[in-house]
Amino acid sequence: MGVALRKLTQWTAAGHGTGILEITPLNEAILKEIIVFVESFIYKHPQEAKFVFVEPLEWNTSLAPSAFESGYVVSETTVKSEEVDKNGQPLLFLSVPQIKIRSFGQLSRLLLIAKTGKLKEAQACVEANRDPIVKILGSDYNTMKENSIALNILGKITRDDDPESEIKMKIAMLLKQLDLHLLNHSLKHISLKSAEKIEETVSDSSSESEEDEEPPDHRQEASADLPSEYWQIQKLVKYLKGGNQTATVIALCSMRDFSLAQETCQLAIRDVGGLEVLINLLETDEVKCKIGSLKILKEISHNPQIRQNIVDLGGLPIMVNILDSPHKSLKCLAAETIANVAKFKRARRVVRQHGGITKLVALLDCAHDSTKPAQSSLYEARDVEVARCGALALWSCSKSHTNKEAIRKAGGIPLLARLLKTSHENMLIPVVGTLQECASEENYRAAIKAERIIENLVKNLNSENEQLQEHCAMAIYQCAEDKETRDLVRLHGGLKPLASLLNNTDNKERLAAVTGAIWKCSISKENVTKFREYKAIETLVGLLTDQPEEVLVNVVGALGECCQERENRVIVRKCGGIQPLVNLLVGINQALLVNVTKAVGACAVEPESMMIIDRLDGVRLLWSLLKNPHPDVKASAAWALCPCIKNAKDAGEMVRSFVGGLELIVNLLKSDNKEVLASVCAAITNIAKDQENLAVITDHGVVPLLSKLANTNNNKLRHHLAEAISRCCMWGRNRVAFGEHKAVAPLVRYLKSNDTNVHRATAQALYQLSEDADNCITMHENGAVKLLLDMVGSPDQDLQEAAAGCISNIRRLALATEKARYT
């Protein structure tokens, strides 16, 4: 309360003890917090509420004597409380307008009496009593200033012979907590940051989740009921400062008897300055003290606030240095504590900057002894524990992109690969966890293949440990972007256990990892055949309902890959999978929408499935996704519409039934996203097969928009753009319009592409455009004839015919021109 009032409240006059509080939101917020603390004091701390202040708090009140009722002796101008001290003096005395109060109990009652005027009374009290702690506890307790900590108070009270010292200690601690609460509350109020602090993020991965961010710090609430353990732990902390090794070790051991997993015990150590003492003990030469300190820090560092405090106090560099210790127990404890602390970006950065990554990687090799074969000592219990703890810390650190690279450069991959061969499950979990995190990097995936890690990941899918199964599946999911890895998973027998694990749906984290691995492995057709053999497709269909979104994204992704084959499309339809897939089109999850549109589009290739999709209004839902703000969703929806339009019964009428639908899709040609443009061109190609729809999109300006896209180097866009132009040439004077909008010359340049699909589509477009004489001239001027002649000999029959037809039209125009010249 003292520091908060001095540092944060805003006054109208500079002189100490003078002036009044400004009327500001911050001042009001501080006063309200003080009121909450004082009002509840009499109920929460009844014994301490009776404590008589050394000096009364005095101020001019606006309360009239008539406001006081039972418990007070009231006259016209004075009020005396019936509650008195040992000398018979009242604990509240009012002589209008001055009031004097000498206990928290009376302060609590006064605020209740003041009712709506309590804010005014609190302000007057604060203005008149600028050092309330001195008046409450005495001048010797004016230690709660600036950087002081509760240890100062404990030391004072321990030396005091006052029989009320216990009560004084508790009041002192409650006031300290209020002060810290006010400071923290005010900082939050101010943050609404004032300009946001820019923190160094260059060295960390931008993909780190928000859960990895530092949590807001908060102190034990001032008005909370604090259990006896809180005070007992705080008494023990003072013995840690004594310097006597025996006393320190006993205090550390005694502290560990408490339930350090409870937040109250953790914050008790922190609030009285115990963290500073524990961290200081790590720099002593006494191994027992270091071990005792680390055992406590390891337990309490599970608390997010404690983790942040440890970093603020410079604890991480000290722990990193301990990793060099010859004592294996010390190294294990330091690594485990680092594993707990390095759960947020800043901590991971500190570990790396102080050489921690290299030292932690070295722990993975601690079993190596030059006098023995590596494997003979690898499984010794202590060596395994050192390596396990090192892997735990690396697992936490590996959430940073820069740290992943540091682990690789330090030689971590071969060591992790070696440890992966162990049979110790408690070792395997952090090892696989680290590999899972690192496998998101392409460099790691190559190294994982080189070290034959996939084989061991597959092997451990058969473990009975669910956490190990989860991390192995997640690592496979990360690595299976690569075809060679997908093949290795199949060759080492990994597809069967993955399919089997689909049947265990209780553990959602594991199910998400397993379905993710199946999705990525399904990109290879050979793997899809195996999954069909293991009845995995039917099981995946069963997971389309009542599952978390992270599972659904993977399940639908896997079905989208499987449904590229006819047999699997039939299975999905017969298992009743079409309806739940269509139902998912109304979601908002971007990744899920991308995958479900692909799956629905794949199913739409089969006429029977397309009938169900149409009946369930699936095409309309897909069309509505063209309005989605995410480009990936727009593109995926447009791709899915292509087979729907192609295979729907009376597709032309269906498309026209979507009010504003054709205008919407034409306007998407104004997008800046190449994938959106390519998918929309493909959709327009299918739409334009219907003459009425072609007429409508022509009216909506499809020709100039397509022409504007012609100067592109993207082969995928070139392919579908050329097809759309070819199809749109079939209406009215569109052929002429494409020439007028300068689309012909860029198309000729497409013939120089190295993509056969582009050649075929372009030749067909040029063939249609060559029906116009001016377009033929443009083609000839841009060297189309020579390029097309080379393609007449192509093994692709459609390309042959289109190239020959275009050349024929150009030649016919040339002959006609020559004939006209001579006539």
Side-chain angles (χ1 to χ4, degrees):
M1 187 162 74
V3 175
L5 292 181
R6 278 191 298 275
K7 286 192 137 185
L8 296 172
T9 50
Q10 296 156 323
W11 302 82
T12 58
H16 184 73
T18 63
I20 62 171
L21 286 171
E22 291 182 358
I23 302 172
T24 66
L26 176 58
N27 281 349
E28 187 174 334
I30 291 173
L31 289 173
K32 284 181 178 177
E33 292 298 314
I34 293 173
I35 288 169
V36 169
F37 171 78
V38 175
E39 268 189 321
S40 61
F41 199 98
I42 194 169
Y43 305 111
K44 294 185 178 293
H45 314 288
Q47 190 172 357
E48 289 74 22
K50 297 175 184 176
F51 173 76
V52 180
F53 298 165
V54 174
E55 294 180 49
L57 297 177
E58 303 177 44
W59 70 93
N60 288 341
T61 180
S62 59
L63 291 174
S66 58
F68 295 82
E69 297 176 353
S70 62
Y72 297 94
V73 179
V74 182
S75 71
E76 190 174 340
T77 59
T78 65
V79 176
K80 292 182 182 179
S81 65
E82 293 177 355
E83 187 180 17
V84 296
D85 66 11
K86 60 185 178 183
N87 298 319
Q89 296 298 313
L91 298 184
L92 179 147
F93 180 72
L94 167 62
S95 178
V96 177
Q98 188 183 55
I99 191 168
K100 298 181 180 182
I101 293 183
R102 297 176 61 200
S103 76
F104 276 110
Q106 288 298 326
L107 278 174
S108 292
R109 291 189 181 97
L110 179 82
L111 289 175
L112 292 172
I113 292 167
K115 297 180 181 175
T116 57
K118 64 182 68 174
L119 189 64
K120 189 174 181 181
E121 290 299 315
Q123 179 175 346
C125 180
V126 167
E127 288 172 349
N129 300 275
R130 299 286 282 270
D131 283 312
I133 294 169
V134 174
K135 289 192 173 186
I136 294 168
L137 295 175
S139 58
D140 289 343
Y141 289 84
N142 193 23
T143 54
M144 296 172 67
K145 289 182 180 178
E146 304 298 330
N147 299 320
S148 68
I149 54 175
L151 277 174
N152 296 332
I153 299 166
L154 284 174
K156 167 72 183 82
I157 290 168
T158 305
R159 296 190 299 272
D160 206 335
D161 294 330
D162 187 348
E164 294 182 320
S165 61
E166 284 292 325
I167 292 177
K168 278 190 171 184
M169 178 184 79
K170 189 163 184 181
I171 290 174
M173 289 308 304
L174 289 171
L175 290 173
K176 177 65 178 175
Q177 290 161 39
L178 173 61
D179 206 43
L180 293 169
H181 175 69
L182 290 176
L183 287 167
N184 189 54
H185 184 83
S186 301
L187 288 173
K188 288 180 182 176
H189 187 88
I190 293 166
S191 71
L192 297 176
K193 289 267 179 241
S194 301
E196 186 177 353
K197 179 184 176 185
I198 300 173
E199 188 175 340
E200 178 193 352
T201 55
V202 175
S203 62
D204 288 298
S205 171
S206 60
S207 64
E208 292 181 60
S209 69
E210 289 180 10
E211 294 171 3
D212 288 328
E213 299 298 327
E214 298 180 40
D217 190 10
H218 76 266
R219 300 279 164 168
Q220 196 78 6
E221 290 294 332
S223 60
D225 282 322
L226 299 173
S228 60
E229 291 90 344
Y230 186 88
W231 307 110
Q232 291 167 7
I233 285 177
Q234 294 201 336
K235 284 181 183 177
L236 284 172
V237 171
K238 70 177 183 178
Y239 293 111
L240 297 180
K241 297 182 68 181
N244 181 298
Q245 181 191 353
T246 303
T248 300
V249 171
I250 291 172
L252 290 168
C253 292
S254 300
M255 202 175 287
R256 290 189 62 223
D257 289 337
F258 289 90
S259 180
L260 296 177
Q262 293 182 0
E263 186 178 49
T264 299
C265 295
Q266 296 165 351
L267 297 183
I269 295 171
R270 191 275 301 272
D271 291 350
V272 78
L275 283 179
E276 293 93 323
V277 181
L278 290 169
I279 289 170
N280 287 339
L281 287 174
L282 297 181
E283 296 191 282
T284 66
D285 295 329
E286 302 296 339
V287 174
K288 288 183 180 178
C289 291
K290 288 182 177 179
I291 288 175
S293 177
L294 280 170
K295 283 183 176 179
I296 294 169
L297 288 168
K298 183 188 82 170
E299 293 300 321
I300 66 176
S301 58
H302 287 286
N303 184 308
Q305 300 161 55
I306 299 291
R307 291 199 284 263
Q308 185 176 340
N309 295 141
I310 289 172
V311 176
D312 292 339
L313 293 167
L316 274 180
I318 301 170
M319 294 176 200
V320 167
N321 288 336
I322 291 174
L323 296 175
D324 291 326
S325 169
H327 296 274
K328 292 181 179 179
S329 296
L330 268 180
K331 290 198 282 194
C332 286
L333 287 167
E336 273 197 281
T337 310
I338 289 171
N340 292 340
V341 176
K343 290 286 197 287
F344 60 101
K345 286 183 182 181
R346 184 160 58 98
R348 291 191 282 270
R349 184 165 60 246
V350 170
V351 173
R352 183 184 69 251
Q353 289 172 343
H354 287 84
I357 301 298
T358 303
K359 293 179 181 181
L360 288 169
V361 169
L363 295 189
L364 303 182
D365 198 27
C366 72
H368 179 71
D369 186 334
S370 58
T371 63
K372 303 177 185 177
Q375 291 298 321
S376 67
S377 61
L378 179 61
Y379 301 109
E380 290 178 7
R382 188 169 291 186
D383 291 335
V384 168
E385 184 62 9
V386 171
R388 183 189 75 83
C389 295
L392 269 175
L394 288 171
W395 189 5
S396 294
C397 292
S398 64
K399 294 186 187 298
S400 154
H401 164 75
T402 313
N403 283 356
K404 289 174 189 176
E405 189 60 19
I407 294 169
R408 188 183 67 81
K409 287 181 177 177
I413 302 177
L415 293 173
L416 289 167
R418 191 176 80 180
L419 293 174
L420 198 54
K421 296 172 185 174
T422 180
S423 58
H424 297 270
E425 284 188 346
N426 62 344
M427 163 76 80
L428 287 169
I429 289 171
V431 168
V432 175
T434 306
L435 287 168
Q436 166 208 318
E437 288 290 346
C438 293
S440 62
E441 304 289 324
E442 191 173 345
N443 286 340
Y444 265 90
R445 293 197 289 270
I448 284 171
K449 283 187 295 182
E451 293 291 339
R452 302 183 66 181
I453 287 174
I454 299 298
E455 180 178 352
N456 287 295
L457 290 175
V458 167
K459 171 187 163 187
N460 286 303
L461 283 174
N462 295 302
S463 164
E464 293 184 3
N465 186 302
E466 291 188 4
Q467 193 180 7
L468 181 55
Q469 291 172 334
E470 175 192 335
H471 292 305
C472 286
M474 197 64 189
I476 290 171
Y477 164 75
Q478 297 278 22
C479 294
E481 293 282 350
D482 175 78
K483 184 183 185 304
E484 189 178 343
T485 298
R486 297 195 291 270
D487 292 341
L488 287 172
V489 174
R490 181 180 71 257
L491 293 171
H492 291 299
L495 301 181
K496 190 169 186 177
L498 284 173
S500 177
L501 287 170
L502 280 178
N503 296 304
N504 302 316
T505 60
D506 293 337
N507 185 331
K508 300 303 180 186
E509 288 78 11
R510 182 183 63 178
L511 185 61
V514 169
T515 51
I518 289 175
W519 171 21
K520 296 302 179 182
C521 287
S522 296
I523 297 171
S524 293
K525 289 184 178 180
E526 300 88 343
N527 291 348
V528 171
T529 303
K530 284 290 184 183
F531 283 134
R532 183 166 64 243
E533 180 184 326
Y534 300 138
K535 307 292 182 184
I537 297 170
E538 292 90 333
T539 311
L540 286 168
V541 170
L543 293 173
L544 284 172
T545 53
D546 301 322
Q547 295 299 333
E549 282 191 340
E550 55 268 29
V551 173
L552 287 173
V553 168
N554 297 336
V555 168
V556 175
L559 288 173
E561 296 298 338
C562 291
C563 287
Q564 301 301 313
E565 297 180 5
R566 182 185 173 281
E567 299 95 324
N568 299 331
R569 291 195 288 270
V570 173
I571 291 172
V572 170
R573 174 172 54 79
K574 288 184 175 179
C575 288
I578 304 298
Q579 178 149 3
L581 282 172
V582 171
N583 291 345
L584 291 173
L585 289 171
V586 297
I588 58 172
N589 181 298
Q590 180 186 352
L592 180 56
L593 287 174
V594 168
N595 284 359
V596 78
T597 47
K598 180 175 181 178
V600 170
C603 290
V605 172
E606 190 200 22
E608 292 89 341
S609 295
M610 183 56 221
M611 289 174 64
I612 301 172
I613 293 168
D614 195 14
R615 188 175 71 245
L616 295 171
D617 211 20
V619 183
R620 185 183 300 276
L621 291 173
L622 283 171
W623 210 285
S624 69
L625 288 175
L626 296 175
K627 301 175 185 176
N628 193 283
H630 299 288
D632 290 348
V633 176
K634 286 180 184 174
S636 190
W639 287 123
L641 283 169
C642 295
C644 288
I645 297 167
K646 188 174 182 180
N647 295 299
K649 187 178 179 182
D650 197 8
E653 182 60 36
M654 177 188 72
V655 170
R656 284 191 294 280
S657 71
F658 303 143
V659 178
L662 290 171
E663 183 179 9
L664 169 64
I665 204 158
V666 170
N667 283 334
L668 283 176
L669 291 172
K670 298 172 185 176
S671 171
D672 294 327
N673 185 284
K674 295 290 192 291
E675 189 69 19
V676 170
L677 292 171
S679 62
V680 169
C681 286
I684 286 172
T685 301
N686 286 279
I687 290 167
K689 290 177 183 176
D690 179 270
Q691 286 291 295
E692 282 191 56
N693 289 338
L694 177 53
V696 173
I697 63 174
T698 299
D699 290 343
H700 284 307
V702 73
V703 171
L705 287 171
L706 289 173
S707 300
K708 194 174 180 181
L709 299 176
N711 286 303
T712 178
N713 295 319
N714 183 290
N715 278 337
K716 189 172 188 180
L717 177 54
R718 284 175 162 184
H719 170 201
H720 295 288
L721 174 60
E723 284 189 337
I725 289 173
S726 176
R727 183 62 62 178
C728 288
C729 282
M730 308 290 190
W731 177 256
R733 63 183 302 276
N734 283 357
R735 291 186 179 90
V736 176
F738 278 119
E740 291 171 349
H741 285 92
K742 312 296 183 187
V744 178
L747 279 174
V748 173
R749 292 196 289 273
Y750 291 9
L751 296 174
K752 297 177 181 177
S753 164
N754 54 6
D755 188 321
T756 305
N757 290 326
V758 174
H759 292 165
R760 181 173 57 255
T762 304
Q764 289 170 336
L766 291 174
Y767 173 54
Q768 292 297 329
L769 290 166
S770 66
E771 296 291 329
D772 174 70
D774 289 336
N775 290 342
C776 284
I777 294 168
T778 304
M779 291 176 206
H780 192 274
E781 288 174 347
N782 284 273
V785 175
K786 184 177 185 305
L787 295 168
L788 289 167
L789 280 170
D790 293 336
M791 293 175 186
V792 170
S794 168
D796 185 315
Q797 189 171 344
D798 291 337
L799 176 55
Q800 272 186 26
E801 291 178 359
C806 187
I807 291 171
S808 173
N809 285 342
I810 294 171
R811 181 62 182 155
R812 189 178 300 115
L813 173 66
L815 288 171
T817 304
E818 211 171 318
K819 183 177 179 182
R821 186 182 302 165
Y822 287 106
T823 16

